[in-house]
Amino acid sequence: MTRTPVEPVTVRLPRGGLLAFAGGSIGMGVWITVPGLLLLYFLTDVLAVAPLVAGFALLAPKIADVVLHPFVGHFSDAQRARQGNRLALMLAACMLPVAFAALFSVPGGLHGTTAAIWVAAVFVLGNLLFAAYQVPYLATPADLAIGYHERTRLMSFRMVVLTVGILVSGVLAPSLVGGDNPTRTGYVVMGATLAAGMLAAMLVGIDGVRRLGTAAGMPANPAPPRLRGVRVLLGSLRDPQYRPLVTAYLLTGTATHLVLAAAPYYATYELGRSGLTTVLIAAFLAPALLATPVWLAVTRRIGKQRGLLLAQAVFAAGCLVVALGHRVPLAVLIAVVSVLGVAFAALQLLYFAMLPDVVAASAGRDIADAGSYTGVWTAADSAGGAIGPYLYAACLAIGGFVGSSGDDIQQSASALDAVRYGFGLVPAVLLVAALVIQRRYTLDGGARA
């Protein structure tokens, strides 16, 4: 039996505060996008790291995240209880741009496995700083005294600006590293340039959280007991609404991060030009800017759940077309990638709009759990960000793909098949699985007045 939460809250958030809050997503978008887009390729084709080693260098830091993020959420809840907000933790996290720059500034003497160790170590630190910002940031919709539709409106602002950040960084990063001829120096320049933008955006986001808290109010909460993060983690996995939502989100995040990691390989080895990476990323992300307001209107009529199921189905179908590769005219491929971008807009908007609905509807818990629940959520996000590239690296390894340091190496036919099928078929399977699991979510029964 489906049910939709009924909440009397009618506070409408000011547009200026919404824009400032959403501005923080630009910095988060850079961290989400650029390592996911370029780091695997950077390791295999610039630093000469074997595909499986490169995949593990990206996977290991995320394993640590799965353990640490719920505790970051618990710490955030404790800070919220003591200080009335989570801003101090977000300010401390503003060291993230330094880690981002270091991620691509691998010392010149390191190649192969030693370079992979450097990247993995810096990635651990960066992901921890990312969690320290992202967990309190995403807890904001649940912290504020706002209702069902206003949460979606808040997250729609975030989604549009996040897409701008992903689009700009996704287009700039491949260009800054050298376009068709990426270089090690180019990666250093790219890292330093985008780090500066990250810092500015993160500070704007902190100001936005403060302004929204002032406008809507944040109900006071008692301090969570010690080790509550562990209990919330275990309890959340028993929550009949949270469990399918976060599991489907994990599968979806795995698929979308895989697509990002695979894009440079698909452009280089399937389409024949590394420079087409920028075209694919732009085609994927630009439609999301226009699609987000449309999805906001659609879900007001049919509900978030039905909108999400529709987007999952569209994304899976599009991936099957992309798996055909060069057999499809380039213009058609780009059009299909644009359709994937439209679906991606809904995936990003609706998952994050439904998360605070689950927190608000959870009987027997107070809002102080928002950080702990969000910590579990970002752990799943982090896991998907690692599993996706690792799955693609495994596909490359199975196909016999050979890493290089810029040398022109002829890849085998099986390696080229792995490039194509890993980019298309694997994400399609993941999205179908996400759709099946998402159908178990019953909190949102459909349209609302």
Side-chain angles (χ1 to χ4, degrees):
M1 178 178 177
T2 58
R3 57 193 175 93
T4 305
V6 178
E7 300 171 24
V9 182
T10 58
V11 173
R12 187 168 178 83
L13 299 171
R15 187 178 298 270
L18 289 168
L19 289 172
F21 171 81
S25 288
I26 294 178
M28 298 298 94
V30 174
W31 181 260
I32 292 169
T33 305
V34 178
L37 174 64
L38 295 181
L39 203 51
L40 182 61
Y41 188 86
F42 176 55
L43 287 166
T44 61
D45 281 43
V46 177
L47 301 178
V49 180
L52 280 182
V53 175
F56 186 75
L58 304 185
L59 178 64
K62 301 292 187 173
I63 295 174
D65 292 347
V66 172
V67 176
L68 294 174
H69 279 215
F71 291 96
V72 173
H74 169 76
F75 182 83
S76 175
D77 283 338
Q79 182 186 84
R80 163 99 157 82
R82 289 194 307 268
Q83 302 178 9
N85 59 60
R86 309 173 193 266
L87 299 180
L89 185 60
M90 296 179 73
L91 282 169
C94 287
M95 288 298 293
L96 177 62
V98 177
F100 177 83
L103 195 61
F104 295 98
S105 301
V106 179
L110 301 183
H111 295 272
T113 301
T114 55
I117 292 172
W118 169 278
V119 169
V122 175
F123 214 11
V124 169
L125 174 61
N127 284 333
L128 185 59
L129 291 168
F130 174 78
Y133 190 95
Q134 185 82 329
V135 168
Y137 181 77
L138 292 180
T140 300
D143 283 340
L144 299 174
I146 56 176
Y148 175 90
H149 283 310
E150 197 63 10
R151 295 189 198 108
T152 310
R153 178 171 173 258
L154 169 58
M155 299 314 286
S156 72
F157 273 76
R158 173 192 177 264
M159 177 55 202
V160 170
V161 178
L162 174 64
T163 303
V164 171
I166 294 175
L167 177 60
V168 171
S169 59
V171 170
L172 276 181
S175 302
L176 290 172
V177 301
D180 284 332
N181 299 293
T183 65
R184 194 160 177 155
T185 300
Y187 279 94
V188 174
V189 172
M190 179 275 297
T193 302
L194 294 185
M198 286 179 69
L199 178 59
M202 291 170 73
L203 292 173
V204 170
I206 291 171
D207 181 60
V209 172
R210 179 190 59 78
R211 292 169 65 179
L212 292 181
T214 300
M218 291 186 176
N221 294 290
R226 294 189 179 188
L227 298 182
R228 180 165 184 172
V230 176
R231 293 202 296 273
V232 171
L233 169 61
L234 297 176
S236 68
L237 298 179
R238 293 191 295 266
D239 187 318
Q241 303 301 330
Y242 186 78
R243 184 172 61 247
L245 186 68
V246 75
T247 303
Y249 177 67
L250 170 61
L251 291 168
T252 301
T254 299
T256 54
H257 281 92
L258 186 155
V259 168
L260 282 176
Y265 296 91
Y266 190 80
T268 301
Y269 296 101
E270 180 64 25
L271 303 182
R273 282 184 54 199
S274 177
L276 285 175
T277 300
T278 300
V279 177
L280 292 176
I281 295 302
F284 183 63
L285 295 173
L289 293 173
L290 301 176
T292 298
V294 176
W295 282 113
L296 180 61
V298 167
T299 55
R300 279 184 172 270
R301 296 182 64 87
I302 68 174
K304 301 176 193 179
Q305 167 76 337
R306 292 177 185 172
L308 182 55
L309 294 174
L310 174 62
Q312 290 167 334
V314 170
F315 200 98
C319 286
L320 292 177
V321 177
V322 169
L324 298 174
H326 65 271
R327 297 174 179 82
V328 178
L330 180 61
V332 175
L333 279 177
I334 292 174
V336 172
V337 170
S338 297
V339 173
L340 290 178
V342 172
F344 175 74
L347 297 176
Q348 288 293 296
L349 168 64
L350 298 178
Y351 276 120
F352 285 92
M354 293 161 84
L355 171 61
D357 290 343
V358 172
V359 175
S362 297
R365 287 191 297 273
D366 56 49
I367 204 68
D369 285 338
S372 296
Y373 263 60
T374 305
V376 176
W377 184 269
T378 59
D381 187 22
S382 187
I387 297 170
Y390 189 76
L391 279 179
Y392 192 70
C395 289
L396 295 180
I398 292 170
F401 186 90
V402 180
S404 70
S405 57
D407 300 324
D408 187 13
I409 292 179
Q410 189 70 30
Q411 302 290 348
S412 66
S414 62
L416 296 178
D417 286 342
V419 168
R420 180 173 67 257
Y421 294 139
F423 186 61
L425 292 182
V426 177
V429 171
L430 290 168
L431 261 296
V432 170
L435 189 153
V436 171
I437 292 172
Q438 183 63 37
R439 289 177 60 85
R440 301 174 186 171
Y441 178 92
T442 60
L443 182 60
D444 186 344
R448 283 175 55 88

